[in-house]
Amino acid sequence: MKTVKPDLSQGLLSELQCPGCMEYMLPPIETCMNGHNICSKCKPKLKECPACRKPLLNMRNFALENLTRKIDYPCTNRKFGCKETHSVDFIIDHQVTCVYAPFTCPFLKHNKCAWIDILKNLKNHLLECHSQDVREQNGETNLIINPESKELRGYKVMFAYNEMFYIYIQRRATNYYIAVTYVGKPENASKYGYKISFKKSESIESITVCHVSRSVNEELNKIFESGNCFKLPYDLLKRYVTCDGQLRYKLEIFEVSPVR
Ligand SMILES: [Zn+2]
Ligand SMILES: [Zn+2]
Ligand SMILES: [Zn+2]
Ligand SMILES: [Zn+2]
């Protein structure tokens, strides 16, 4: 909703450029003792004003903050091709789900893969470079944990229902954790659930656990600690280790039917 002329709007935007990160500032906007403005993301990281080296104050520039209501902000992913602009109240919401947001490869930490691009191109990259860790769901998928490995952290990628999911496996102390996260708009994560089952033979009772998938935007530690994922003590799972020393399980992602 623009209420000022385009050239004025452009002029205002350049006034809003933060001298720290060069992005357009959103409220709260604070100042240095000479009146230079600084964004609230940069301020805690800086000891002095990047424009004049004078101390930063705990003082907001309300006049400038009020002017931000009169313009539309271009998306921070404009350099990756996003052409959307939104008012100060909606730009953050847009950027969180912007399809042009740069995406890093899920194997960045695990395999030091430095791929970065828009989400749309991720599937091709995964199929080309990480095919051994990528599965296309077709009924239940058989997966293996090697309980012997000391630092057990595993990543898998699963495609199901034309969507993408990351599967994280981790051993912490005496417990095994498995979390499935949905890659896409956070509000869609709860539309999918997953079923994990351990089974060995008819003589040993099988274990099946179901959970709702979480958003990939959530911090993994928080998912593990909140209990919104598979968590069982290794003592319990030990009896499913096969004679070749592997812990096999089946995973199936399913659509959660909406509550009527
Ligand atoms: Zn900044
Ligand atoms: Zn200054
Ligand atoms: Zn965007
Ligand atoms: Zn990669």
Side-chain angles (χ1 to χ4, degrees), residues 43-240:
K43 198 190 162 210
K45 299 182 217 153
L46 295 170
K47 289 202 171 65
E48 55 188 22
C49 171
C52 68
R53 308 272 158 227
K54 288 281 188 287
L56 296 163
L57 305 177
N58 285 323
M59 196 159 76
R60 283 170 64 177
N61 186 343
F62 287 108
L64 191 58
E65 286 185 19
N66 288 339
L67 284 173
T68 64
R69 310 221 153 267
K70 308 237 179 264
I71 54 158
D72 280 346
Y73 281 80
C75 172
T76 47
N77 300 313
R78 57 193 175 279
K79 48 192 170 291
F80 301 103
C82 184
K83 293 192 166 51
E84 290 202 32
T85 63
H86 290 278
S87 70
V88 63
D89 293 323
F90 295 104
I91 188 68
I92 297 283
D93 284 352
H94 162 73
Q95 282 166 185
V96 168
T97 56
C98 176
V99 293
Y100 289 95
F103 232 83
T104 52
C105 175
F107 296 99
L108 171 69
K109 284 194 195 128
H110 206 52
N111 297 358
K112 303 215 169 6
C113 175
W115 182 91
I116 180 163
D117 200 346
I118 58 173
L119 180 59
K120 199 174 68 159
N121 298 334
L122 179 57
K123 184 171 182 175
N124 278 346
H125 164 72
L126 290 168
L127 292 172
E128 267 171 35
C129 301
H130 308 284
S131 57
Q132 73 281 9
D133 289 313
V134 175
R135 302 276 191 287
E136 191 85 52
Q137 176 164 288
N138 179 14
E140 287 180 323
T141 306
N142 290 299
L143 294 164
I144 298 173
I145 296 173
N146 177 8
E148 291 302 309
S149 76
K150 290 259 180 305
E151 259 282 299
L152 184 77
R153 271 159 205 267
Y155 299 84
K156 293 270 179 263
V157 176
M158 182 97 90
F159 296 111
Y161 304 101
N162 288 320
E163 302 282 0
M164 195 187 317
F165 300 85
Y166 295 165
I167 303 157
Y168 300 92
I169 306 135
Q170 212 172 98
R171 185 174 62 201
R172 294 177 162 195
T174 55
N175 290 312
Y176 271 86
Y177 293 80
I178 304 173
V180 173
T181 62
Y182 170 82
V183 185
K185 289 193 174 186
E187 64 265 33
N188 289 341
S190 59
K191 291 181 183 164
Y192 301 93
Y194 58 97
K195 183 176 88 178
I196 290 174
S197 40
F198 287 84
K199 190 178 179 190
K200 193 172 165 190
S201 61
E202 296 309 322
S203 57
I204 302 173
E205 218 177 309
S206 63
I207 297 182
T208 301
V209 180
C210 288
H211 277 282
V212 172
S213 76
R214 309 295 299 184
S215 163
V216 74
N217 295 12
E218 282 181 69
E219 235 180 273
L220 191 59
N221 276 341
K222 291 212 176 115
I223 300 177
F224 284 163
E225 280 155 22
S226 65
N228 290 317
C229 66
F230 174 93
K231 175 191 173 188
L232 279 181
Y234 181 57
D235 270 354
L236 204 74
L237 296 176
K238 240 174 8 196
R239 58 186 137 151
Y240 300 99

